[in-house]
Amino acid sequence: MSSTSQKHKEFVAEPMGEKPVMALAGIGEVLGGKLEEKGFDKAYVVLGQFLVLKKDEELFRDWLKDTCGANAKQQRDCYGCLKEWCDAFL
Amino acid sequence: MASLDNKSPQEISDLLDEYGIKHGPVVGTTKSLYVKKLKEAMAKGKKAKPSSDKTYYREEEEEVTYVYRTPSKSETSGDGGSYMRSRREWAEGEYGHDTSYSSYSSSRPEYKGRDLVDEPYMYDTPSTYSSNSYAKPMKSEPVKPKAQKSSRLIPLWLQFVFFLALAAFLYLVFSNMEANEAIKGIV
């Protein structure tokens, strides 16, 4: 498994509850702001989108790129973070 | 290009299936993504529409990998009549059964061949059980030697040689130890 960031580890360690979207790995201030503008103001809303896209990597990454302009690394980090969270808690 | 944005979610879903694009439900947040994907697919040129019975082909494809099927033909010829119906029903049914059937060692090749498909149903009927069990040992033979030969990196005889050498070595060590009263008889 590739190395995961501190943010990733913290996120997947517990239920996300009301964590803001910027708590997701790969999503910083800029991307977080863009997502919030589109209505994805909490991590669980992005989770909802992830699930609606059937947890498919390609679809989710495409969506993320379209919605907030995330680059490949950010997409990968965010996808990995959500996937692992789902594996643990869903 | 018809205005994709004006299409209903159902139409978009159907179009995605036509292009073979894997997708989830077309909801408010996913619609624009799928519309974009459809536009890309259309721009690339229309891919062939996959037919809904594509899975039939998959089945037949796998059929080719198993050459062995002849002996069971004669056995099941008598029972063929009543089972043809069930075969057809089963063939149209879920293909998820693939994984469940793989756990039954004797039913592995069945779903490939037309004639062999009768086999799984023999579990239910005692009258044909004898032919099924009769078929079992024969069926496993062609499969076994293939699996055995391909799975070993180090040849079996070599493993035995090493084992014997190790055993002999340990015996020597053991026999040259300072002998206690108790193990005098062994050395």
Side-chain angles (χ1 to χ4, degrees), chain A residues 15-21 41-44:
Chain A
M16 63 175 77
E18 298 290 323
K19 282 184 185 169
V21 73
D41 55 344
K42 295 278 185 189
Y44 64 73

Side-chain angles (χ1 to χ4, degrees), chain B residues 62-106:
Chain B
E62 293 174 356
E63 188 180 332
V64 179
T65 63
Y66 284 88
V67 181
Y68 173 86
R69 64 158 90 169
T70 43
S72 42
K73 257 189 204 168
S74 53
E75 290 165 30
T76 61
S77 60
D79 304 310
S82 60
Y83 287 104
M84 292 309 271
R85 254 196 337 248
S86 51
R87 171 188 69 80
R88 231 165 253 124
E89 285 166 14
W90 183 82
E92 289 163 5
E94 308 119 41
Y95 296 101
H97 273 221
D98 285 357
T99 53
S100 65
Y101 277 123
S102 62
S103 63
Y104 295 102
S105 59
S106 67

Side-chain angles (χ1 to χ4, degrees), chain B residues 107-126:
Chain B
S107 64
R108 231 177 319 152
E110 278 74 327
Y111 61 88
K112 326 266 193 229
R114 306 243 179 286
D115 301 295
L116 288 180
V117 168
D118 296 348
E119 302 284 342
Y121 279 87
M122 293 191 181
Y123 282 112
D124 301 327
T125 335

Side-chain angles (χ1 to χ4, degrees), chain B:
Chain B
M1 210 184 321
S3 53
L4 288 171
D5 299 323
N6 292 337
K7 290 212 184 292
S8 75
Q10 184 57 46
E11 285 171 336
I12 292 181
S13 180
D14 293 337
L15 280 170
L16 286 164
D17 289 335
E18 274 179 32
Y19 284 97
I21 298 171
K22 201 172 74 152
H23 65 95
V26 182
V27 293
T29 49
T30 58
K31 190 173 174 188
S32 62
L33 177 70
Y34 292 139
V35 161
K36 183 177 144 261
K37 277 194 170 287
L38 281 172
K39 283 182 182 162
E40 281 172 10
M42 285 181 181
K44 277 186 193 158
K46 222 174 178 179
K47 281 188 253 176
K49 281 189 190 186
S51 54
S52 57
D53 57 351
K54 190 180 180 183
T55 41
Y56 282 109
Y57 292 121
R58 209 177 345 120
E59 235 191 8
E60 283 174 12
E61 228 180 88
E62 293 174 356
E63 188 180 332
V64 179
T65 63
Y66 284 88
V67 181
Y68 173 86
R69 64 158 90 169
T70 43
S72 42
K73 257 189 204 168
S74 53
E75 290 165 30
T76 61
S77 60
D79 304 310
S82 60
Y83 287 104
M84 292 309 271
R85 254 196 337 248
S86 51
R87 171 188 69 80
R88 231 165 253 124
E89 285 166 14
W90 183 82
E92 289 163 5
E94 308 119 41
Y95 296 101
H97 273 221
D98 285 357
T99 53
S100 65
Y101 277 123
S102 62
S103 63
Y104 295 102
S105 59
S106 67
S107 64
R108 231 177 319 152
E110 278 74 327
Y111 61 88
K112 326 266 193 229
R114 306 243 179 286
D115 301 295
L116 288 180
V117 168
D118 296 348
E119 302 284 342
Y121 279 87
M122 293 191 181
Y123 282 112
D124 301 327
T125 335
S127 60
T128 53
Y129 183 71
S130 56
S131 61
N132 186 33
S133 58
Y134 171 67
K136 257 194 223 175
M138 296 168 69
K139 216 174 309 206
S140 58
E141 273 174 13
V143 180
K144 260 189 196 166
K146 264 191 289 183
Q148 270 184 352
K149 287 205 166 87
S150 61
S151 67
R152 294 194 190 282
L153 289 172
I154 305 170
L156 187 61
W157 63 269
L158 194 59
Q159 289 183 357
F160 276 128
V161 165
F162 273 119
F163 173 73
L164 288 172
L166 186 67
F169 175 72
L170 287 173
Y171 177 75
L172 280 172
V173 169
F174 185 72
S175 61
N176 288 328
M177 277 162 51
E178 296 285 325
N180 292 333
E181 300 287 331
I183 59 170
K184 253 188 191 165
I186 298 170
V187 174

Side-chain angles (χ1 to χ4, degrees), chain A residues 64-85:
Chain A
L64 203 59
K65 189 170 86 172
D66 286 348
T67 311
C68 61
N71 65 31
K73 184 183 186 304
Q74 290 161 332
Q75 294 163 23
R76 198 171 49 239
D77 290 346
C78 189
Y79 167 78
C81 177
L82 281 172
K83 174 148 190 332
E84 207 173 305
W85 188 93

